[in-house]
Amino acid sequence: MSAVYKDDQEDWMTVCLKYLLFVFNFLFWVGGAAVLGVGVWTLVEKSDYLSLLASSTFAVSAYILILAGSLVVVTGFVGCCAVIREHRSCLSTYFFFLLIIFLIELVAGVLAYVYYQRLSEELKQHLNHTMTKNYAQPGKESITLAVDRLQQDFKCCGSNNSHDWMQSVYISYKQADGRVVPDSCCKTITPQCGKRDHPSNIYKVEGGCITKLEQFLADHLLIIGAVGIGVACLQLAGALLTACFIYLLYKEEEEAFGAL
């Protein structure tokens, strides 16, 4: 009687775990879509600003999320097939994929957090040099476009303030054509509007573009970190469920073999 009860209890646990894994797979796909979406959105929204950063950590974090999100699509399909068929080798493959994705997303989250800690210092050391030395210079078209977009998007002028442009290579030479700031500093862009740096004509934001860009990137690094680490925890829970399911299937096969 006790053996029958034990078998029924194990069957019930197997069924419960099976349904739990189905629920997990749904959450897994949703989480994967969120990871992939955040990665793509980060690169699309911030692609113009990446050339202004000294390191590639920000971009690498986003690329890692895209890789992890793409793997989720494949892994979710493998997981569904494995759970339906109750095949231990498929489940083991699924478990292995979950651990890989867990590590990938954890790395992305940690990278984003570490970069968040040193973002302010990097911008202070690098942004002013990039803007003043590379703006409108041959071969630096991507930086020029990034600076113009930065100043227009955030309604700022110069890394710290508009006076930073007086030390720039662009303003120092004749190519500026009498401008004291680039035209992208103007509230309303018209040809050669950068010749007048009065507050009624150009943006005079306290803290300059550094403050604006730092806040913007910091907010998105927090999103990358939270999504990466949050979904990584979801993967870990799924891996534990899968390990339990594999163990129960192994016991059932062992008992069935022993009965023979």
Side-chain angles (χ1 to χ4, degrees):
M1 188 71 176
S2 60
V4 174
Y5 175 76
K6 186 179 178 182
D7 289 342
D8 289 342
Q9 187 180 41
E10 288 179 355
D11 288 342
W12 178 81
M13 287 176 66
T14 303
V15 171
C16 282
L17 274 174
K18 190 172 183 176
Y19 282 111
L20 276 173
L21 279 172
F22 270 118
V23 172
F24 167 76
N25 259 306
F26 172 74
L27 295 175
F28 187 46
W29 266 319
V30 171
V35 167
L36 184 60
V38 167
V40 171
W41 168 67
T42 297
L43 288 181
V44 170
E45 278 290 304
K46 268 65 72 185
S47 59
D48 287 347
Y49 302 143
L50 295 180
S51 59
L52 301 177
L53 303 177
S55 71
S56 58
T57 310
F58 187 85
V60 168
S61 297
Y63 281 121
I64 290 174
L65 287 184
I66 291 173
L67 172 64
S70 301
L71 282 175
V72 164
V73 176
V74 178
T75 305
F77 177 75
V78 171
C80 282
C81 293
V83 172
I84 291 170
R85 295 176 62 187
E86 296 186 6
H87 200 287
R88 279 201 296 123
S89 61
C90 286
L91 283 167
S92 297
T93 303
Y94 178 56
F95 177 78
F96 178 70
F97 272 123
L98 284 178
L99 289 182
I100 289 177
I101 295 170
F102 167 75
L103 291 174
I104 289 173
E105 289 175 348
L106 195 60
V107 167
V110 170
L111 274 178
Y113 179 76
V114 170
Y115 188 58
Y116 175 79
Q117 299 299 311
R118 59 187 182 87
L119 175 63
S120 177
E121 194 60 34
E122 178 183 312
L123 287 176
K124 287 174 183 175
Q125 292 178 358
H126 185 74
L127 187 60
N128 185 57
H129 180 270
T130 300
M131 292 175 74
T132 57
K133 302 300 180 185
N134 298 319
Y135 183 83
Q137 299 308 300
K140 302 293 183 181
E141 289 79 10
S142 62
I143 291 179
T144 302
L145 289 172
V147 171
D148 285 338
R149 183 182 172 187
L150 175 69
Q151 295 191 140
Q152 279 295 297
D153 285 355
F154 295 118
K155 296 178 171 50
C156 58
C157 183
S159 56
N160 296 291
N161 54 62
S162 60
H163 298 299
D164 290 339
W165 284 111
M166 299 307 295
Q167 284 77 47
S168 72
V169 175
Y170 170 66
I171 298 299
S172 300
Y173 290 90
K174 292 182 180 179
Q175 65 183 124
D177 196 23
R179 294 178 179 84
V180 290
V181 294
D183 290 345
S184 57
C185 281
C186 299
K187 294 179 179 178
T188 303
I189 295 180
T190 56
Q192 297 189 337
C193 63
K195 288 184 175 182
R196 195 167 68 92
D197 63 352
H198 192 271
S200 63
N201 184 50
I202 68 168
Y203 295 113
K204 295 274 190 178
V205 179
E206 187 177 347
C209 293
I210 284 180
T211 304
K212 294 281 189 176
L213 183 59
E214 180 185 349
Q215 186 59 52
F216 181 73
L217 292 176
D219 289 344
H220 289 86
L221 281 169
L222 284 176
I223 293 172
I224 291 175
V227 169
I229 293 174
V231 177
C233 292
L234 179 65
Q235 253 85 41
L236 187 59
L240 291 173
L241 282 174
T242 305
C244 292
F245 193 50
I246 292 171
Y247 174 73
L248 285 175
L249 290 177
Y250 173 77
K251 283 193 69 177
E252 287 179 4
E253 287 180 15
E254 194 177 51
E255 287 172 3
F257 182 77
L260 295 175

